[in-house]
Amino acid sequence: MSSDCLFCSIVRGEIPADVVSQTEHTIAFRDINPQADVHVLVVPRLHEPDIASLAAADPDVTIALIAETLRIAQAESGGQYRLVFNTGEAAGQTVFHAHGHVLGGHLHSPLPS
Ligand code: 5GP
Ligand code: ZN
């Protein structure tokens, strides 16, 4: 847990979110600024700054995160979706607590090239 981390605050229930699922290791909620018809963020309860740090720190939680991301993608987007794990500022990461984006349906703007 990191006291000044936005997603840790959501994990602790201190900041409200439109929660889609909760598991032992993860919480998923709708993105506040959706980039597609379906836009869900899947977040490990464990604080690590990005997916690479998470994979190094705890492979079991990483597998749980990816499995839950796939389950939500299937449930929300009927088998056709994009999964995005932005890693690093230059790749567009803005919240430095590991998370996956589930994007389904129509994108609201084209992905940057
Ligand atoms: P990143 O750019 O780090 O990959 O993704 C961070 C995502 O978090 C962005 O898509 C942004 O819209 C979303 N976000 C930022 N603040 C909040 C918030 O307070 N609540 C929710 N639900 N999403 C947020
Ligand atoms: Zn955090």
Side-chain angles (χ1 to χ4, degrees), residues 56-79:
D58 198 322
D60 290 343
V61 171
T62 307
I63 290 166
L65 174 67
I66 292 171
E68 184 62 3
T69 300
L70 285 163
R71 192 194 67 75
I72 291 168
Q74 184 65 39
E76 294 270 333
S77 299

Side-chain angles (χ1 to χ4, degrees), residues 2 5 7-8 47 97:
S2 176
C5 169
F7 287 174
C8 282
H47 178 91
H97 178 131

Side-chain angles (χ1 to χ4, degrees), residues 6-7 10 15 17 29-33 39 41 86 92-95 99 101:
L6 174 63
F7 287 174
I10 290 177
I15 292 177
F29 49 89
R30 298 196 188 279
D31 197 292
I32 205 166
N33 181 26
H39 191 170
L41 301 174
N86 293 328
Q93 188 177 3
T94 59
V95 177
H99 56 278
H101 296 254

Side-chain angles (χ1 to χ4, degrees), residues 1-3 5-14 43 45-47 97:
M1 288 289 175
S2 176
S3 58
C5 169
L6 174 63
F7 287 174
C8 282
S9 298
I10 290 177
V11 167
R12 288 195 295 262
E14 293 167 4
V43 171
R45 295 182 187 278
L46 177 65
H47 178 91
H97 178 131

